[in-house]
Amino acid sequence: MSHSNRSSRLDALLRSGRLSRRDLLRSAGSLGLLGFASSSGVLAQARPRFVADPFSLGVASGYPRADGFTLWTRLAPSPLQADGGIHRDEWVVVDWQVAEDERFERVVAEGRVRAVGELAHSVHVDVTGLRPDRIYHYRFLAGDAISRSGRSRTAPAAGASPRRLKFGFSSCQHYEQGWFNGYAGLLQDDPDLMVFLGDYIYESSWGDDLVRRHAGGESYTLEEYRVRHAQYKTDPHLQRAHAALPWLVTWDDHEVDNDPSAAESEHLDPRFLLRRAAAYQAYYEHMPLPRQMRPRTDGSMPIHTRVDFGSLASFFVLDNRQYRSSMACPDPFKGGGSTTAYLDECAELQDSSRSLLGSEQEQWLEAGMAASEARFNVIAQQTLFTPRDEGSEGRRRIWSDGWDGYPASQQRLLKALSRPGLSNPLLIGGDIHANVICNVQADPWAGSQVLAAEVCGTSMSSQGRPQERMDESKSKNPHFQWARSDRRGYVLVELGRNAEVALRSPQTVKQAQSPTETLARFVVEDGVRGIRGG
Ligand code: FE
Ligand code: CA
């Protein structure tokens, strides 16, 4: 379909009044890039009847603000069907309610929105007008159906100094490789916030001792990514965790494909931007993301952000995939993607114009950290930040996909972390399917000054590499206080006077239920850079 053809169809829809300007903006990503096949019969369903529960994917909330948060659901009576069980030409009226009590007797905010096929009948509501630092309950209604109720909370007011904030974080949940039973432990811990740091879905199948299977093969199209996200969302542990507390999320590579850089895939697929736009849109459709993060017409989707909890904590949530420079010295057979490289064999690594975050995000982060007055500055990003060595015989070898593959970016963030006025910087990450605890230093082998604490958390379910290789890595990296790849789970952090860190882990993810235990504890002491055993 030609672009002008598409535009005139859009114009007709706009003129007919059946597609609002707001809907158009919200769905512009799919309309502009992915084609818009439907033209006739946009059917409203003022009082729809569903063949099955339209709220099969549950409910979620995210991004607490002092006066509200974002609510999410998606209507999908048949979650594993490409259209979710509602024809894409139909839109559905959805009511939402926020109450002070679990029985919805004291409703304090409510509204009505339209769920449209262009966004897979997902609903994103940025609730405002609530009171700071409060727990609220919410639910959705469509036709005769009422969703399960969810619980969320607002952030403390800007000037307030809350005494405590408890949050969990995790990453990497391959559906086939394990049950998401870590979330059962998380709910017992009852944190205020969950932070997910990437690989929320996996686009493809791999791994050993699989416990369940993806519906369909590798995802490429919008419909395939929708089915993948929907299947993950049918997991009962994950649904409960979304319904119980607000989340912050960022993505890594597998929300789209293995190891891309910005709009470049590891095999330099010329159509990769279209694939990425499809994956980004499906991600938006399934996450409690504020509406300002919706996909843009050029296939981009801005998700890096800052979230404050009074003067106690600021979370800088980063996106290290969307804006990064091409990877250095790629495997010539692939053309792009990651590799291991000896520092002395890859001159490109030293190019100071290369960036992992893109210069705009780097500057935003540096300015935010410089101005921050929070007691804890949590830098929530995808992977291990600290410089590390995987080489031998005195020659440093790095993995080009991570911060070590972008040393100029790493140096700039190290410099920003070295500002004396910055209070208690704490880096959290995921991606490597292992718990690694360390002090961040510009040159850890020379014993340079400790600048920050780092807690890289293990995967929720994705398998780790053999522990022997982790032990080898630990021997080359004396700054690793803890390096374990043999356990799955999440990290629990309690911010108060100090930051108390617990590595939480189910005994196994190969069974649907398994008790969670604490593997180790660490502490970040107020006013002391770094982390130590607790
Ligand atoms: Fe992963
Ligand atoms: Ca990853």
Side-chain angles (χ1 to χ4, degrees):
M1 195 189 302
S2 76
H3 183 72
S4 59
N5 206 337
R6 212 156 51 213
S7 302
S8 62
R9 286 183 173 191
L10 281 177
D11 287 344
L13 276 171
L14 277 168
R15 274 197 302 274
S16 74
R18 289 180 296 202
L19 184 68
S20 70
R21 172 116 195 111
R22 194 184 63 192
D23 291 337
L24 175 66
L25 287 172
R26 290 175 68 197
S27 55
S30 75
L31 300 177
L33 275 160
L34 305 166
F36 182 56
S38 92
S39 58
S40 59
V42 177
L43 309 170
Q45 285 205 323
R47 200 125 180 100
R49 285 176 182 279
F50 301 103
V51 290
D53 179 13
F55 297 108
S56 64
L57 303 182
V59 300
S61 75
Y63 298 84
R65 301 172 285 275
D67 70 339
F69 36 68
T70 298
L71 300 181
W72 170 90
T73 192
R74 181 190 158 205
L75 304 174
S78 307
L80 299 188
Q81 222 168 284
D83 65 2
I86 304 176
H87 193 279
R88 66 182 166 198
D89 285 352
E90 292 174 357
W91 53 264
V92 182
V93 171
V94 181
D95 292 315
W96 57 270
Q97 293 179 325
V98 174
E100 288 176 339
D101 63 311
E102 277 173 87
R103 301 172 63 175
F104 292 84
E105 283 166 0
R106 296 193 305 280
V107 172
V108 292
E110 58 190 326
R112 172 168 288 190
V113 291
R114 280 197 290 179
V116 298
E118 288 77 15
L119 287 171
H121 302 98
S122 62
V123 170
H124 297 78
V125 179
D126 295 328
V127 181
T128 58
L130 305 181
R131 296 197 291 173
D133 209 7
R134 290 277 193 299
I135 288 176
Y136 289 96
H137 303 268
Y138 63 91
R139 66 183 180 185
F140 298 92
L141 304 91
D144 296 329
I146 304 178
S147 75
R148 72 186 294 166
S149 59
R151 189 179 64 156
S152 192
R153 60 175 302 127
T154 52
S161 40
R163 289 188 50 235
R164 303 202 86 72
L165 175 74
K166 191 154 68 168
F167 71 95
F169 73 90
S170 191
S171 60
C172 296
Q173 48 188 19
H174 201 293
Y175 183 83
E176 299 181 318
Q177 292 174 15
W179 298 94
F180 303 159
N181 53 24
Y183 289 120
L186 181 84
L187 295 195
Q188 282 165 14
D189 293 337
D190 194 25
D192 305 296
L193 179 74
M194 175 66 189
V195 186
F196 199 87
L197 299 172
D199 293 358
Y200 185 96
I201 60 155
Y202 280 75
E203 85 292 355
S204 64
S205 298
W206 53 280
D208 312 317
D209 308 323
L210 305 182
V211 300
R212 47 189 176 172
R213 297 309 304 255
H214 284 152
E218 186 164 344
S219 303
Y220 292 93
T221 67
L222 178 55
E223 290 189 341
E224 289 164 350
Y225 283 111
R226 282 173 172 166
V227 170
R228 183 58 42 85
H229 271 282
Q231 186 178 22
Y232 277 56
K233 277 284 194 307
T234 60
D235 181 277
H237 291 299
L238 183 58
Q239 275 201 14
R240 275 196 286 272
H242 274 296
L245 75 168
W247 286 43
L248 307 177
V249 297
T250 187
W251 50 37
D252 192 28
D253 52 338
H254 289 289
E255 280 83 355
V256 184
D257 185 23
N258 186 51
D259 288 356
S261 318
E264 183 181 293
S265 77
E266 61 180 337
H267 298 289
L268 306 183
D269 173 3
R271 294 174 308 168
F272 182 70
L273 184 60
L274 291 174
R275 182 181 182 184
R276 196 189 77 168
Y280 279 10
Q281 177 164 338
Y283 186 83
Y284 178 74
E285 290 168 351
H286 292 83
M287 293 292 166
L289 293 168
R291 291 167 54 123
Q292 68 189 27
M293 293 182 183
R294 71 191 178 277
R296 306 300 204 252
T297 47
D298 64 356
S300 67
M301 196 177 129
I303 61 166
H304 61 282
T305 192
R306 171 177 167 175
V307 176
D308 296 326
F309 288 82
S311 62
L312 181 59
S314 284
F315 288 78
F316 297 90
V317 184
L318 307 188
D319 173 0
N320 81 18
R321 277 292 156 192
Q322 189 172 185
Y323 312 106
R324 65 163 72 190
S325 311
S326 298
M327 287 189 217
C329 303
D331 177 345
F333 290 100
K334 285 195 292 185
S338 61
T339 187
T340 48
Y342 285 101
L343 276 193
D344 54 16
E345 278 177 358
C346 179
E348 202 184 337
L349 282 170
Q350 305 310 324
D351 178 353
S352 65
S353 69
R354 295 178 67 253
S355 174
L356 187 67
L357 302 175
S359 56
E360 222 173 281
Q361 187 180 187
E362 272 191 27
Q363 282 162 27
W364 164 84
L365 174 63
E366 282 171 30
M369 284 167 60
S372 172
E373 289 178 0
R375 182 185 297 161
F376 290 97
N377 287 282
V378 182
I379 297 155
Q381 48 83 51
Q382 285 74 10
T383 189
L384 189 66
F385 172 73
T386 185
R388 73 177 142 156
D389 186 6
E390 301 293 341
S392 57
E393 289 155 25
R395 289 178 73 206
R396 189 166 161 223
R397 197 168 180 232
I398 60 95
W399 175 240
S400 71
D401 188 57
W403 286 93
D404 283 334
Y406 297 82
S409 257
Q410 192 179 44
Q411 287 300 324
R412 288 189 287 268
L413 183 48
L414 284 163
K415 189 157 173 260
L417 289 168
S418 72
R419 286 177 68 102
L422 181 67
S423 178
N424 301 318
L426 166 63
L427 288 118
I428 62 173
D431 177 48
I432 59 174
H433 307 177
N435 282 312
V436 173
I437 309 293
C438 62
N439 288 334
V440 173
Q441 298 159 272
D443 187 347
W445 303 278
S448 66
Q449 189 191 356
V450 174
L451 303 176
E454 177 159 21
V455 180
C456 191
T458 193
S459 52
M460 181 55 69
S461 66
S462 305
Q463 68 192 50
R465 59 180 183 164
Q467 184 57 37
E468 306 85 73
R469 284 182 57 199
M470 214 59 213
D471 292 340
E472 217 177 291
S473 183
K474 192 164 184 279
S475 70
K476 293 169 184 169
N477 294 282
H479 51 306
F480 287 7
Q481 296 172 32
W482 179 277
R484 290 271 299 267
S485 56
D486 56 347
R487 294 295 291 259
R488 316 277 66 85
Y490 62 97
V491 179
L492 186 70
V493 182
E494 196 161 353
L495 302 178
R497 169 50 54 192
N498 301 322
E500 284 156 34
V501 174
L503 307 183
R504 303 276 287 147
S505 173
Q507 284 169 358
T508 176
V509 294
K510 298 300 182 185
Q511 290 163 18
Q513 313 289 338
S514 172
T516 296
E517 55 197 20
T518 298
L519 303 178
R521 292 179 189 280
F522 300 87
V523 62
V524 179
E525 255 180 276
D526 184 29
V528 182
R529 297 286 179 116
I531 186 166
R532 59 172 177 78

